[in-house]
Structure formats: structure tokens, C-alpha cells
Amino acid sequence: MSDQIKFIVDNLNKEPFRKNYNLITFDSLEPMQLLQVLNDVLSEIDPKQVVDIREEMPEQTAKRMLSLLGILKYKPPGNATDMSIFRQGLVIGSKPVIYPVLHWLLQRTNELKKRAYLARFLIKLDVPSEFLQDETVADTNKQYEELIEAFKTLHKECEQLKTSGFSAAEIRRDISAMEEEKDQLIKRVERLKKRVETVQNHQRMLKIARQLRVEKEREEFLAQQKQEQKNQLFHAVQRLQRVQNQLKSMRHAAADAKPESLMKRLEEEIKFNSYMVTEKFPKELESKKKELHFLQKVVSEPAMGHSDLLELESKINEMNTQINQLIEKKMMRNEPIEGKLSLYRQQASIISRKKEAKAEELQEAKEKSASLEREVSVKTNQTREFGGAEVLKGDEFKRYVSKLRSKSTVFKKKHQIIAEFKAEFGLLQRTEELLKQRHENIQHQLQAIEEKKGISGYSYTQEELERVSALKSEIDEMKGQTLDDMSEMVKKLNSLVSEKKSALAPVIKELRQLRQKCQELTQECDEKKSQYDSCAAGLESNRSKLEQEVRGLREECLQEESRYHYTNCMIKNLEVQLRRATDEMKAYVSSDQQEKRKAIREQYTKNIAEQENLGKKLREKQKTVRESHGPNMKQAKMWRDFEQLMECKKQCFLKQQSQTSIGQRNLLGASISCFEETFI
């Protein structure tokens, strides 16, 4: 489904749509927007479909789209009931209905454009039989059908001309260029004929040249066939070497093997494969399916904002707290059986993890060994291509080492001989240099003597004349040899042509048979391919239908599981409440006073009585406080006034301490005592 959506988004972002969608924005489209996108694609195929969905009734939209899809020969998956679901989904803009339609339309847009164009002219009108009894209507209908047939033929001719790749102007230009080339060639041929007519036996020479050209072309063709056969032989030799190497390795592996070891190895492989098939692969497949389901669920949901993320985080925290509380309750129970079972479970989980780890290591080792074997085979093929030898093993390697030792002794001897030759070559070079110097000195002396005698350059001209005469004789010999060589070459060519004919006759016969066989095989391959394509299309449609059913059933299963867990939690809460209620009833009904005291009702009544007594005491205390409140407040006021008066007296006393007399002090003490008596 994700690949389908990705294909749709990529094609909608291209010309001529240019929607600028991504996977999230396209998946979050509203039904009306999705219907508008489908209508835009249909309008690209048929320009008559350019309509704004908001200005059209839903029934008219569905009818128009269904009629166009019928013309385009779109087949929705399923039977008659699924057809009604398809129509309903097309009306409401359902994603499972519109996505396959968009995928199908965008895959073959050009083909559907052509089909929609032809449908305007080739769809016949259904005229009732009672109207056809009228002659004018029948004649018009007949002309209409004839025009349809004429349109078919003209359209076929037009398509053929379009696919031919030529236009009238290009053909005219090519014809004019070819006529010019023809005139030039005619003139050139006439000039060559005039030149050749002066030569004797020109007809015979032309015939021989024509035969030579034909044989050369044939020789090139035969050389090409020979090269192809060499390539085929080289590939066949390579295949043979690979098979021989495999056979050698298998024989080497089976040479020291016993039936017991082979059986043991096969049993280990069977156990490992059975473990991988029955335990490891199903777990991995289930985890991948869960991950895929989760990702599909995430993709199908709309884009989340910051508030949604905060809400989810709060829910996650609440669930974590509930889980921690449940774990603490379970730990508080201290059930010994669960403790013992937990040990065994831990051991079993550790063993299973170890087993999975070892299986993964073994699988990685097998993959690594297979990759190394492939690398070895590639390297051996490369060494063969570069002319290298095979990698030797065991006794072959020992024999190879002994050969190398014998060759090394021979190499040393040859190397010593080469060193002697080099020394001798150095001596000869030195003697040559000395002789050249001596020759130059003699030449200088000879030139000096010639200048003295007045005949300078005599020796040089004599050497030149000798050289020219030698060259003339060589050229004459070469001319005679070229004529002989040409005659011999013609004879050799004729003999080679006859030999090639006789050698290639059976090969040509075999090649004809092989070509016939190749044509038959290609026809059979095309038939099988068409059958495979039809079968694959049917299986793909069935697979998509089954995937949709499986997806629906999984969602139902998840909903039922969540409902089941919720009901289990509610049942457990109710059981706890019921247990508390039964314990309370037992404690309340029992005759034992100790049990009654444990009852929650008794405890509550006791607490209520204690609180009532405490309330009575507090009310009495409040009453006494209210009665003594007025006098106490008055007394507190008097004490505050007295405090202020004493503070004032103190200040006055401190100021006038040095001036007051003893009588004044006595008067102050008398006044204080009088005040205290009146206050008390």
C-alpha cells in the first residue's frame, strides 16, 4: 500500500499535474479533495471531465466517473457485492477505493488518453428496434456504422504512418539527396570505364575483381561466424571448468567422509533448518508484521500537533504509574509458586536468547562462507581470463613445488649463460666502437688525400652509384616477386575459399536447424510469458483482496483484545470490592467481639462517637470563653493603659532625676500605691 501511495504522489507531482504533495499531506486529504484529485486525473485523460466537484451533485459525479471508468475498461476487484461497495466508496471518497483507481490511471495515462479519444467515435448508439423500422432512421444508422468503420481504417493508417518515423518533407529531401548521389556515381563510373577501356583484358580483370570482392565479403562473414563460435566455445569451456571444479570439490569433500559423519552432518543441518523455520523465522515474521501494522497505523493517522503529543505523554505517564502500582501489589502478595516459576522462566528465556544468538552467528558464518566461496570463484575466473593457472591443493601443490625447483635450477643455468653472453656482448660493442673510430680516421685521411690530388668527393659519388644500382636491382626483383606473389595469392585464396565452403557446409546446416529451434522456443516463451502475466495479475488482485481482509480482521482482533483486557480489569476491581464487602459482612454478623471491632462500620461508629464527645467539650469551652470575653478584654485594656502611664512616668523620672527631691519621690510612691489599690 505504501508503494502504491508513493507511486501516486510521485506522478501527481510531475507534469501536467504539479500538485506538490508528500506522503503525509496526500494521506491527510479530505474525501472531497481526494475526489477532486481523481477528477483532475480523469480530465487529463478526457478533457470533457473538467468539472469542479463542489458545484456538482454527488450522484452525478459518481455516475460520470463510473461511465468513464467503464469506457476505459477499469475492473474493480471483487464480485457484485463489492461493486456496490465500490460505487458507495466512490460517492463518499473512500481511500481504499480511490487509491487503486488513481494507481491504475497513472500507470497507463497515454494509453487511456487514446482509448478515451477513440471512445467518442467508436461507441455505438443503442437505437431501439421499433425506431429502426423507419427507413430514414435505418439509413442514418447504417451510414453511422459505415462512418465508424471508415474511421477505424483511417485511424489505423494514421497510426502506421506515425510509427513509421518518416514525414513527406524528409522523404523528399532523402530522394533528392539520393538522386544527386546517383548522378555523381554515374559520372564516376563513366570516368572509371574510360580509364579501364585503355587497359588490355579489362573485362577479365573486372570479373576477377568482382569475384575477389565477393569472396572478401564472404571471408568477413565467415570470420565473424568463426569468432562467434570461438566465443561460444570459450563460454562452454568456462562452464565445463566450473562444473569440473565443483565435481572435484565435492569428491574431495566426500573422499574422507564416512556414512556416520555424513548422517550426523545432515541431522545437524536438518535440526538447524527446522529451528530456523519453526521458531526463528516465524518470530521475526511476526515482529515485522507488528512493526508494519504499527507503521501503517501511524501513516493512516492525521498529523499530530504539540497538544496531541502532550496528551499522549500524559496518558503514557498514567499508564506507567498504573503498571508500577500493579507490580507493587503483585510483589506484596509474595506468592512462592510464582517465585519458583519465575526462576525457571528466567532460565528458559536466557537459554532461548542464547539459542537465538548462536543461530544468528551460524547463519552469519554460513553467509560469510558463501560470500567467500563466491569471491574465490570470481577470482579463479579472473585468473583463467588472464591466462593464469588454477589454485592447487594437496599432492598437486607438492608436485608443482618439485617442478618449480627443477625449473629454478634450469633458470640459474640459463641466467649464467645469459650473463656470459652479456659480457661477450660488451666486449664486441667496445671493439665495434674502436673500429668505427678507426674507420672515421681513415675516411678523414682519404678526404685530405683527395683534396690534395684535386678529386674531392670521388669516393662518396662512387658509393652512391653502387647504392643506386643495388636499389634498382632490388626494385626489379621486387616487381617480379609481386607478380608471382599476386598469382600465388589468388591461387591460395581460391583454395582457402573452397576449403572454407567445405568446412562450413555442415555448420550452416546445423545453424539453420538451430535457428528454427530458436524461433519455436521464442514463440513458446512468449506464450508462457503471457500466461504468466495473466496469472500474476490474478494472483496480485487476490493478494490485495486478502491483505485488505487480513488488515480488517487484525483491527477487529486488536479491538476485541483491548475490550477483553478492559473487562478483565473491571472484573478484578469488582472482585476486590466484593471481597471487601463480604469481609465486612462477616465481621459485622459474627458474634466475636474482636471481629466486630475489626469491622469498618464499628470503627466508623467509634470514630463518630469520639468526635461527638470532642465537639461537646469544645462547645463548653467556647461557652466559658464567650462569658469571660468582655471582662477579660476590659482588663487587658486597663493593663495597656497602665503600661503607657508607667512608660510616661519613667520618661519623666529620667529627665528630672537630678532635680527631684526626696519628698517628691515619696509622693510618687504614695500615688503609685493608691493607683494600684484602685485598680485592684
Side-chain angles (χ1 to χ4, degrees):
M1 191 73 179
S2 60
D3 295 335
Q4 191 180 47
I5 296 171
K6 188 177 179 182
F7 176 79
I8 293 167
V9 171
D10 291 339
N11 281 277
L12 288 175
N13 291 334
K14 295 177 183 176
E15 291 288 339
F17 303 107
R18 291 184 292 178
K19 295 290 184 180
N20 293 325
Y21 287 142
N22 55 27
L23 292 174
I24 297 170
T25 55
F26 180 73
D27 194 58
S28 60
L29 290 176
E30 297 294 329
M32 289 296 291
Q33 294 174 346
L34 198 61
L35 277 173
Q36 186 63 49
V37 171
L38 178 60
N39 191 74
D40 293 340
V41 176
L42 291 174
S43 63
E44 179 63 25
I45 293 168
D46 187 6
K48 291 183 179 180
Q49 304 295 323
V50 180
V51 177
D52 192 354
I53 299 294
R54 295 171 294 182
E55 298 176 357
E56 192 177 24
M57 295 297 291
E59 292 81 6
Q60 294 177 356
T61 304
K63 186 177 180 182
R64 178 171 55 79
M65 289 183 178
L66 285 170
S67 63
L68 182 58
L69 290 173
I71 290 168
L72 299 176
K73 295 182 180 180
Y74 174 72
K75 294 180 181 179
N79 48 18
T81 57
D82 293 332
M83 281 296 296
S84 62
I85 294 168
F86 176 75
R87 292 192 188 94
Q88 187 177 1
L90 194 63
V91 171
I92 63 175
S94 178
K95 292 179 181 178
V97 173
I98 292 177
Y99 283 174
V101 178
L102 283 172
H103 185 261
W104 186 79
L105 292 172
L106 293 170
Q107 271 184 333
R108 42 183 72 83
T109 307
N110 295 324
E111 179 185 349
L112 295 176
K113 280 183 182 179
K114 183 178 176 181
R115 190 175 292 173
Y117 168 73
L118 293 174
R120 295 187 218 165
F121 307 103
L122 297 181
I123 293 176
K124 294 182 180 180
L125 297 173
D126 293 330
V127 182
S129 58
E130 57 268 18
F131 291 113
L132 290 173
Q133 292 178 0
D134 191 358
E135 292 181 358
T136 56
V137 174
D139 293 336
T140 307
N141 190 21
K142 189 175 179 182
Q143 290 177 3
Y144 172 65
E145 291 177 354
E146 289 175 355
L147 289 171
I148 288 173
E149 295 297 327
F151 175 77
K152 285 181 182 179
T153 55
L154 290 171
H155 181 72
K156 286 180 182 178
E157 291 176 0
C158 180
E159 289 294 324
Q160 288 176 359
L161 290 172
K162 284 180 180 179
T163 55
S164 63
F166 294 105
S167 63
E170 290 178 355
I171 292 168
R172 289 193 190 96
R173 285 197 296 270
D174 292 338
I175 290 169
S176 61
M178 289 169 72
E179 286 178 351
E180 290 176 359
E181 289 178 0
K182 183 181 176 183
D183 295 335
Q184 291 176 2
L185 288 171
I186 289 168
K187 291 176 182 177
R188 192 178 295 174
V189 169
E190 288 177 354
R191 285 198 299 271
L192 290 172
K193 279 183 179 179
K194 289 178 181 178
R195 286 183 187 176
V196 171
E197 285 175 355
T198 58
V199 181
Q200 294 180 356
N201 297 325
H202 63 278
Q203 293 292 336
R204 185 168 173 275
M205 291 177 72
L206 287 172
K207 188 177 180 182
I208 292 168
R210 193 180 296 112
Q211 289 177 358
L212 179 62
R213 180 176 54 78
V214 172
E215 294 299 331
K216 280 185 178 179
E217 290 176 355
R218 194 170 178 184
E219 185 181 5
E220 289 177 358
F221 176 70
L222 293 172
Q224 188 178 0
Q225 282 188 345
K226 185 179 178 182
Q227 187 63 33
E228 290 177 357
Q229 289 177 1
K230 279 184 179 179
N231 293 330
Q232 291 176 1
L233 180 62
F234 178 70
H235 292 307
V237 169
Q238 282 187 341
R239 286 199 297 271
L240 179 62
Q241 286 177 355
R242 285 198 294 270
V243 172
Q244 284 177 353
N245 290 328
Q246 290 177 1
L247 180 62
K248 194 184 291 182
S249 61
M250 291 175 72
R251 283 178 179 173
H252 183 70
D256 299 331
K258 295 180 181 179
E260 293 82 3
S261 61
L262 288 172
M263 289 296 292
K264 190 174 180 181
R265 196 184 304 161
L266 288 172
E267 286 176 357
E268 289 177 356
E269 288 182 359
I270 289 165
K271 285 179 182 178
F272 173 72
N273 292 327
S274 61
Y275 166 73
M276 295 292 285
V277 171
T278 56
E279 294 183 15
K280 191 171 185 300
F281 288 157
K283 287 181 182 177
E284 290 180 356
L285 183 63
E286 191 66 27
S287 65
K288 294 293 182 185
K289 284 182 179 178
K290 287 180 181 178
E291 188 177 357
L292 178 64
H293 179 70
F294 177 72
L295 292 173
Q296 286 178 350
K297 193 174 180 181
V298 169
V299 170
S300 61
E301 289 180 358
M304 299 177 71
H306 186 66
S307 60
D308 297 330
L309 292 173
L310 293 174
E311 187 178 354
L312 285 173
E313 285 179 357
S314 63
K315 286 182 181 179
I316 289 165
N317 293 326
E318 289 176 1
M319 294 299 293
N320 288 328
T321 53
Q322 290 179 5
I323 289 164
N324 292 326
Q325 289 174 3
L326 291 171
I327 290 167
E328 289 175 358
K329 286 180 182 179
K330 188 175 180 181
M331 290 174 69
M332 291 293 288
R333 290 179 185 173
N334 291 324
E335 294 181 357
I337 297 169
E338 290 291 331
K340 291 178 182 178
L341 289 174
S342 64
L343 291 173
Y344 293 118
R345 284 172 185 164
Q346 287 177 0
Q347 291 177 359
S349 64
I350 290 165
I351 290 166
S352 64
R353 283 197 294 272
K354 286 183 179 178
K355 194 174 180 182
E356 288 176 357
K358 293 297 179 185
E360 288 177 358
E361 288 178 2
L362 182 59
Q363 188 70 20
E364 288 176 358
K366 282 189 174 181
E367 290 176 356
K368 194 172 181 181
S369 65
S371 65
L372 290 172
E373 286 177 357
R374 286 195 294 272
E375 286 181 3
V376 168
S377 63
V378 169
K379 296 293 183 185
T380 51
N381 290 327
Q382 287 179 359
T383 54
R384 284 174 193 151
E385 288 176 0
F386 290 117
E390 296 181 2
V391 179
L392 302 176
K393 297 177 182 178
D395 297 333
E396 293 179 356
F397 183 72
K398 290 179 181 178
R399 288 195 293 271
Y400 180 70
V401 169
S402 63
K403 284 182 182 178
L404 281 177
R405 286 174 183 170
S406 62
K407 286 182 179 179
S408 65
T409 55
V410 175
F411 171 75
K412 288 177 182 177
K413 291 179 181 178
K414 299 291 184 183
H415 189 69
Q416 188 176 1
I417 293 166
I418 289 167
E420 292 175 357
F421 282 139
K422 282 182 179 178
E424 189 175 356
F425 177 71
L427 291 171
L428 291 172
Q429 267 188 339
R430 182 61 181 163
T431 53
E432 186 182 3
E433 288 176 359
L434 292 171
L435 291 171
K436 282 182 179 178
Q437 288 178 1
R438 191 179 294 173
H439 178 69
E440 287 177 358
N441 293 327
I442 291 167
Q443 287 290 332
H444 288 306
Q445 290 176 4
L446 182 62
Q447 287 177 2
I449 291 166
E450 286 177 355
E451 287 177 357
K452 286 180 181 180
K453 299 293 183 180
I455 52 171
S456 61
Y458 174 76
S459 60
Y460 177 72
T461 52
Q462 189 176 0
E463 288 176 359
E464 285 292 325
L465 288 170
E466 289 176 356
R467 190 170 63 80
V468 169
S469 63
L471 283 172
K472 185 175 180 299
S473 62
E474 287 177 0
I475 289 166
D476 293 335
E477 288 178 358
M478 285 175 67
K479 284 181 180 179
Q481 285 178 359
T482 50
L483 292 172
D484 295 335
D485 290 336
M486 287 177 70
S487 61
E488 288 177 1
M489 187 174 69
V490 170
K491 290 178 182 178
K492 285 180 181 179
L493 286 172
N494 291 325
S495 62
L496 282 171
V497 167
S498 61
E499 288 176 1
K500 297 289 183 182
K501 280 183 181 179
S502 60
L504 289 172
V507 176
I508 291 167
K509 289 181 181 178
E510 291 178 0
L511 184 63
R512 287 173 183 169
Q513 294 175 359
L514 290 171
R515 280 178 179 170
Q516 291 177 359
K517 193 173 181 181
C518 178
Q519 289 176 359
E520 293 173 358
L521 289 172
T522 50
Q523 289 177 0
E524 188 177 356
C525 177
D526 294 335
E527 292 175 359
K528 297 290 183 183
K529 190 176 180 182
S530 61
Q531 292 176 3
Y532 170 75
D533 292 336
S534 61
C535 182
L539 291 173
E540 184 67 23
S541 62
N542 292 328
R543 187 179 67 80
S544 61
K545 184 179 177 183
L546 290 172
E547 283 181 354
Q548 290 178 359
E549 291 179 359
V550 168
R551 198 177 296 113
L553 292 171
R554 281 181 180 169
E555 290 177 357
E556 290 179 3
C557 181
L558 290 171
Q559 291 175 1
E560 294 296 330
E561 282 182 359
S562 62
R563 197 180 299 164
Y564 168 73
H565 292 305
Y566 177 72
T567 51
N568 275 338
C569 292
M570 293 297 293
I571 288 165
K572 287 180 181 178
N573 291 329
L574 292 172
E575 285 177 354
V576 171
Q577 292 177 4
L578 183 62
R579 196 181 301 118
R580 288 180 180 173
T582 52
D583 293 338
E584 181 67 21
M585 286 297 294
K586 284 179 184 178
Y588 185 71
V589 173
S590 67
S591 59
D592 191 2
Q593 294 297 326
Q594 296 291 332
E595 292 291 333
K596 277 190 175 182
R597 287 175 186 172
K598 291 181 181 178
I600 297 170
R601 186 172 181 180
E602 291 294 331
Q603 292 176 5
Y604 282 157
T605 52
K606 186 179 178 182
N607 290 329
I608 290 165
E610 290 176 355
Q611 294 296 324
E612 285 179 353
N613 293 326
L614 184 62
K616 285 179 182 179
K617 290 178 182 179
L618 290 171
R619 280 194 295 273
E620 289 174 358
K621 193 173 181 180
Q622 185 182 11
K623 187 177 179 182
T624 56
V625 168
R626 280 179 182 174
E627 289 175 355
S628 62
H629 179 68
N632 288 334
M633 291 296 291
K634 189 175 179 181
Q635 190 174 3
K637 187 178 179 183
M638 290 172 71
W639 275 106
R640 283 195 295 273
D641 293 339
F642 176 70
E643 186 179 0
Q644 288 178 1
L645 181 61
M646 291 302 291
E647 185 68 28
C648 183
K649 293 282 187 179
K650 182 181 177 182
Q651 295 293 331
C652 292
F653 176 73
L654 291 171
K655 287 181 180 179
Q656 298 177 1
Q657 187 176 7
S658 59
Q659 300 175 1
T660 56
S661 61
I662 297 169
Q664 287 176 348
R665 290 177 185 173
N666 292 330
L667 183 62
L668 180 60
S671 64
I672 289 167
S673 61
C674 290
F675 183 76
E676 286 178 353
E677 288 176 359
T678 55
F679 183 74
I680 293 167

